[in-house]
Amino acid sequence: MKNEFVTLNHIQTHVITYGDPFNCNGKDVIVCITGNPGIPDFYIEFADELHKSTGLPLCIIGHAGHDVVPDEASSILKGQEHLFDLDGQIKHKLQLIDSYVDKQSKLHLIGHSIGSWLILELLKDNENLTMRLKSVNLLFPTLQKMAETRNGKFLNGFLRNLHNFVLLLFVLVHLLPSVIVKFLIAIYLKVYALPSHYSEYILKFLNPNVGEKVLFLAYNEMDRVKSLNVEAINKIKHLTNVIYSKTDNWAPISYMEDLYKYQPELTMKQVDIDHAFVLKSSETTAEMVMQFIKTKL
């Protein structure tokens, strides 16, 4: 595993790689696009398992502005909003694939949550990318009517109205002595039976610059993610595996049923796994993804 910082669509970005996806002599490459928050560290266990089981070079990319990076200019939202909204995130991911991933390689794309929506948008207007595809895995995908979901209604109807207060909370937490913050995080991890090393990842999320971008993108998702991208779905119907959770407040099973009506040729599966699968079900999810990728090698 290697941590790299590359500039994508003018924003310095933390990318995690396995093998050498940027120079692998045309070997197939897996590209994993995270959900929101787009902090790639949360996907390390998932990627570890996937790289180990497939042997393929792999790259995890989060979202522009969703990580702590050395370049301070990459953390400024005001005047650069277009770099951090959904359109900016599409350009961000496209530049990674076009400018960094080995140009001779075929691709296995994985999208989690909003990462799935981004994949469909990438494919809609980029035929060259579609031609490079060997498989697509959409994990707990938020593809339509996000604002109408249970979590969407809470975010849009409550949290969004308290935006300035929430930002203030991020600042106040940031001003607390680090020993207190780490102690509080340790209690949270213990209560929810999560690994202690997640403390480092949560500290990144609690950074005010990161939290600001996470919320900014979330609001944009509420406004933009409304109808299924049927055009893109039809392009990749034979290459795509879609996994839904039976209890998902971002992507309810009824949305899976809607997707099936549009395109019954997709491979689909219902599982009893949380939407944020990376917290407790990385290995189980990686196994399902690996099995599908191997059918497309």
Side-chain angles (χ1 to χ4, degrees):
M1 185 190 87
K2 186 177 179 183
N3 290 289
E4 305 189 44
F5 289 94
V6 298
T7 298
L8 303 171
N9 195 33
H10 310 292
I11 299 298
Q12 191 176 59
T13 305
H14 174 210
V15 173
I16 298 175
T17 61
Y18 293 77
D20 188 358
F22 301 158
N23 184 22
C24 56
N25 297 315
K27 194 172 184 178
D28 286 8
V29 169
I30 298 172
V31 177
C32 177
I33 302 176
T34 72
N36 182 11
I39 300 171
D41 304 77
F42 281 108
Y43 293 75
I44 288 174
E45 284 83 0
F46 173 70
D48 275 341
E49 196 66 28
L50 204 50
H51 176 62
K52 191 191 310 177
S53 59
T54 64
L56 296 178
L58 185 151
C59 178
I60 313 169
I61 179 168
H63 302 309
H66 289 212
D67 210 333
V68 179
V69 296
D71 178 40
E72 292 183 7
S74 294
S75 297
I76 298 171
L77 177 63
K78 190 172 182 179
Q80 299 192 113
E81 290 86 354
H82 64 290
L83 301 179
F84 300 106
D85 64 11
L86 285 170
D87 288 332
Q89 301 294 350
I90 292 168
K91 294 175 184 176
H92 182 253
K93 311 304 177 283
L94 188 61
Q95 189 169 357
L96 173 79
I97 294 169
D98 284 350
S99 301
Y100 288 90
V101 174
D102 192 317
K103 290 178 172 56
Q104 304 305 312
S105 295
K106 295 292 186 179
L107 302 173
H108 300 270
L109 299 184
I110 301 170
H112 174 218
S113 193
I114 195 61
S116 298
W117 185 89
L118 291 170
I119 286 175
L120 295 185
E121 292 298 307
L122 281 168
L123 297 176
K124 185 173 68 174
D125 299 317
N126 294 286
E127 282 302 321
N128 289 339
L129 179 57
T130 305
M131 294 296 292
R132 293 180 67 183
L133 280 185
K134 289 189 78 173
S135 76
V136 178
N137 276 272
L138 306 180
L139 311 179
F140 317 101
T142 52
L143 304 178
Q144 78 261 51
K145 299 182 288 188
M146 281 192 73
E148 297 177 29
T149 65
R150 183 175 177 179
N151 284 355
K153 288 176 181 176
F154 173 78
L155 177 67
N156 234 8
F158 180 72
L159 205 59
R160 198 168 185 171
N161 293 325
L162 298 175
H163 177 68
N164 290 333
F165 176 71
V166 176
L167 287 183
L168 177 61
L169 288 179
F170 275 105
V171 173
L172 292 175
V173 169
H174 195 61
L175 292 174
L176 286 173
S178 61
V179 65
I180 294 177
V181 177
K182 289 179 180 178
F183 175 71
L184 294 173
I185 293 173
I187 292 174
Y188 170 83
L189 294 175
K190 190 170 184 63
V191 168
Y192 287 94
L194 296 172
S196 60
H197 65 267
Y198 277 27
S199 176
E200 302 170 34
Y201 314 157
I202 293 172
L203 280 171
K204 288 186 176 184
F205 169 67
L206 292 175
N207 182 292
N209 286 325
V210 173
E212 174 189 51
K213 311 301 186 309
V214 168
L215 291 172
F216 178 77
L217 184 62
Y219 303 148
N220 195 220
E221 291 170 27
M222 298 302 103
D223 297 338
R224 287 280 306 276
V225 182
K226 294 183 177 181
S227 57
L228 282 171
N229 185 342
V230 179
E231 180 185 347
I233 291 168
N234 286 335
K235 284 183 181 181
I236 56 172
K237 59 187 178 183
H238 299 303
L239 303 175
T240 303
N241 178 40
V242 191
I243 298 176
Y244 277 87
S245 170
K246 295 175 182 177
T247 55
D248 192 333
N249 291 325
W250 282 117
I253 286 296
S254 61
Y255 287 11
M256 177 181 179
E257 294 164 357
D258 290 343
L259 181 57
Y260 182 78
K261 289 174 187 175
Y262 276 115
Q263 188 44 262
E265 295 180 61
L266 292 167
T267 300
M268 294 193 198
K269 181 179 293 187
Q270 292 184 36
V271 295
D272 191 15
I273 292 174
D274 289 341
H275 182 83
F277 75 91
V278 291
L279 297 181
K280 293 186 176 180
S281 304
S282 288
E283 290 188 8
T284 303
T285 307
E287 172 71 18
M288 291 186 286
V289 172
M290 177 273 291
Q291 293 291 350
F292 187 77
I293 286 176
K294 285 193 171 181
T295 68
K296 303 299 180 183
L297 292 175

